[in-house]
């Protein structure tokens, strides 16, 4: 079964061709070809994704990317139906509809968040498990123990979702305001860092932690004579840990963002910050986010009795968060399997959309012969996992 997948929910235009097989209980996904164009640089000057610009770029990019796929054969077309920016979603949907109509193929609407989950559950195949000859681009989903707890962290979403079985979702908690990626991006903007801010904050925070470690090691030793020990070497801003002790799996990040704003103002503004202070801010912000997400993950794991824990979405690329969650599972949840996605699959892409589509078909959740694929797909900006797309 081959599927051509299209993703245009935000600022990445993605097209991918995948082949899927079911071997016993194992799902095997081989990416035959994948193309991805990021608009992040274009949106950087707006400090975030600008929907009409995203739409224009997707319309321009889709035919360019697809040119490479036009001689390929496939059995279905899959496209992100939501959640995301509606003008952006529509571009992919219109393109996919035309393609499916032209080749008389089923059109499969995919929930973007499900793409993050399925692709995070998958791992690169190693030779003993694979039947495909294209080992290099083959990923498999095997031995999934339910219930699965998914922590979804992206620019638009932050939620704890419980999967009792394939495609059965319950929402355990969510952000009451900003998504965590959004908070990273907004705080980065306050710190004069480029959009998307997540990777930049993470880079500075790592730098700060490494410098603090060196400082600790140097402690006790005399500071080199003739040099004054800079105050900023010890600068440590304090930010709140919103909703850390509340009795739910909900989180909130807008207060954290405001706290950064006030802290900067108290210091006399961003321009007064030394590069060490800037890095200290980034580290404290990342610490605060990770501490809250670790505490809420602990709660969600306890509450749900999940056997598998998976994280997905753009922020799942965050090194510090990955390490802290790994520590949590290792130290407190010995019987839970933690699935960390490869960095290459965490950001938006079309491969994850293809994998989610293949999972539905291979697990017989969707039957390609069924007439319900004639349905008119609509962009659903707020599509939730708990609502079926089909
Ligand atoms: O899933 P994604 O690619 O797009 C959405 O569906 O929103 O997530 C994008 C978000 C952005 O907010 C970006 O700043 C954040 O993921 N991000 C990170 C990192 N890499 C990307 N946040 C923190 N640390 C990172 N390393
Ligand atoms: Zn995403």
């Amino acid at each position: 079964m081959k599927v051509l997948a299209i993703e245009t929910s935000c600022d990445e235009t993605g097209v991918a061709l995948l082949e899927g097989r079911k071997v016993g209980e194992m799902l095997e996904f081989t990416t035959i070809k994948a193309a991805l164009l990021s608009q992040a640089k274009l949106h950087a000057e707006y400090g975030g994704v600008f929907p009409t610009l995203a739409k224009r770029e997707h319309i321009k990019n889709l035919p360019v990317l697809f040119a490479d796929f036009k001689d390929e054969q496939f059995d279905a077309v899959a496209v992100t139906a939501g959640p995301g920016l509606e003008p952006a979603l529509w571009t992919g949907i219109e393109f996919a509809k035309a393609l499916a109509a032209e080749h008389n193929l089923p059109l499969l609407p995919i929930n973007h968040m499900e793409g993050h989950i399925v692709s995070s559950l998958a791992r690169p195949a190693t030779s003993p498990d694979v039947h495909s000859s294209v080992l290099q681009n083959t990923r498999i989903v095997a031995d999934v123990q339910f219930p699965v707890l998914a922590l979804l962290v992206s620019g638009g979403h932050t939620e704890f979702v419980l999967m009792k079985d394939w495609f059965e979702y319950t929402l355990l908690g969510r952000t009451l305001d900003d998504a965590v990626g959004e908070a990273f991006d907004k705080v980065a903007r306050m710190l004069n860092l480029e959009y998307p801010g997540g990777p930049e904050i993470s880079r500075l925070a790592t730098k700060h932690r490494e410098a603090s470690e060196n400082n600790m090691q140097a402690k006790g030793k005399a500071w080199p004579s003739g040099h004054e020990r800079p105050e900023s070497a010890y600068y440590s801003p304090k930010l709140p840990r919103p909703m850390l002790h509340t009795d739910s799996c909900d989180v909130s990040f807008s207060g954290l963002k405001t706290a950064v704003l006030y802290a900067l103002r108290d210091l006399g503004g961003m321009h007064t910050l030394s590069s060490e202070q800037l890095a200290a801010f980034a580290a404290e912000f990342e610490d605060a986010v990770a501490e809250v997400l670790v505490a809420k993950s602990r709660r969600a794991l306890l509450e749900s009795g999940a056997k598998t824990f998976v994280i997905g979405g753009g922020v799942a690329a965050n090194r510090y968060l990955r390490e802290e969650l790994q520590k949590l599972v290792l130290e407190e949840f010995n019987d839970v399997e933690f699935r960390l996605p490869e960095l290459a699959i965490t950001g938006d892409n079309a491969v994850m959309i293809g994998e989610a589509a293949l999972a539905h078909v291979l697990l017989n959740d969707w039957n390609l012969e069924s007439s319900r694929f004639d349905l008119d797909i609509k962009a659903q900006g707020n599509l939730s996992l708990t609502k079926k797309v089909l």
Side-chain angles (χ1 to χ4, degrees), residues 98-299:
L99 198 62
E102 183 189 333
H103 298 277
N104 195 24
L105 294 173
L107 179 58
L108 314 176
I110 305 297
N111 182 312
H112 178 90
M113 303 318 284
E114 191 164 66
H116 280 306
I117 295 180
V118 174
S119 64
S120 287
L121 283 173
R123 60 174 166 82
T126 51
S127 38
D129 26 59
V130 162
H131 293 243
S132 161
S133 55
V134 224
L135 183 63
Q136 200 193 348
N137 297 321
T138 299
R139 290 155 44 81
I140 59 160
V141 177
D143 308 321
V144 181
Q145 298 295 315
F146 291 97
V148 173
L149 174 70
L151 168 58
L152 298 172
V153 278
S154 72
H157 287 78
T158 300
E159 53 198 29
F160 286 100
V161 176
L162 190 68
M163 270 172 96
K164 281 189 228 85
D165 202 342
W166 282 107
F167 318 123
E168 277 180 38
Y169 305 101
T170 319
L171 190 64
L172 296 187
R174 67 188 199 299
T175 181
L176 302 180
D177 37 62
D178 292 351
V180 63
E182 189 182 353
F184 265 99
D185 295 340
K186 286 179 177 167
V187 167
R189 201 175 174 191
M190 289 181 213
L191 298 175
N192 269 351
L193 305 170
E194 280 235 322
Y195 173 85
E200 268 302 285
I201 290 198
S202 174
R203 189 182 61 77
L204 286 176
T206 306
K207 194 175 111 185
H208 174 80
R209 286 190 199 101
E210 283 167 5
S212 311
E213 230 163 75
N214 291 341
N215 269 348
M216 294 287 271
Q217 282 166 8
K219 237 182 187 173
K221 290 183 198 154
W223 197 262
S225 62
H227 296 274
E228 211 167 298
R229 191 182 293 242
E231 240 337 274
S232 57
Y234 297 106
Y235 178 69
S236 66
K238 265 282 151 223
L239 294 172
R241 270 63 178 155
M243 296 182 71
L244 188 63
H245 301 295
T246 56
D247 193 18
S248 80
C249 296
D250 291 336
V251 291
S252 155
F253 294 109
S254 77
L256 194 50
K257 179 188 68 190
T258 319
V260 172
L261 189 73
Y262 289 158
L264 283 174
R265 203 184 54 188
D266 293 347
L267 278 169
M270 166 59 214
H271 57 279
T272 63
L273 252 61
S274 67
S275 62
E276 286 87 356
Q277 285 175 320
L278 182 69
F281 248 105
E284 172 65 4
F285 172 75
E286 201 177 55
D287 275 355
V289 167
E291 198 176 324
V292 171
L293 288 176
V294 165
K296 297 300 179 179
S297 298
R298 178 184 294 113
R299 173 180 283 273

Side-chain angles (χ1 to χ4, degrees), residues 20-40:
R21 289 170 219 84
K22 187 160 181 272
V23 186
E25 288 304 299
M26 182 177 87
L27 305 182
E28 212 177 275
F29 308 129
T30 300
T31 300
I32 298 165
K33 227 181 233 190
L36 188 67
L37 256 179
S38 172
Q39 308 168 6

Side-chain angles (χ1 to χ4, degrees), residues 6-14 39 49-59 62 78-98 107-113 157 348-349 352-353 377-384 389:
I6 294 173
E7 153 68 35
T8 63
S9 68
C10 193
D11 61 348
E12 320 277 341
T13 319
Q39 308 168 6
V49 183
F50 193 60
T52 20
L53 177 62
K55 175 182 167 175
R56 194 188 76 194
E57 288 299 307
H58 287 309
I59 290 174
L62 277 169
V79 64
T80 307
L85 302 167
E86 288 200 358
L89 288 164
W90 272 120
T91 63
I93 293 173
E94 293 299 348
F95 194 88
K97 266 187 194 171
L107 179 58
L108 314 176
I110 305 297
N111 182 312
H112 178 90
M113 303 318 284
H157 287 78
D348 292 347
N349 62 79
M352 69 183 206
I353 301 305
I377 296 180
K378 289 194 171 54
Q380 299 171 66
N382 295 318
L383 182 63
S384 111
V389 248

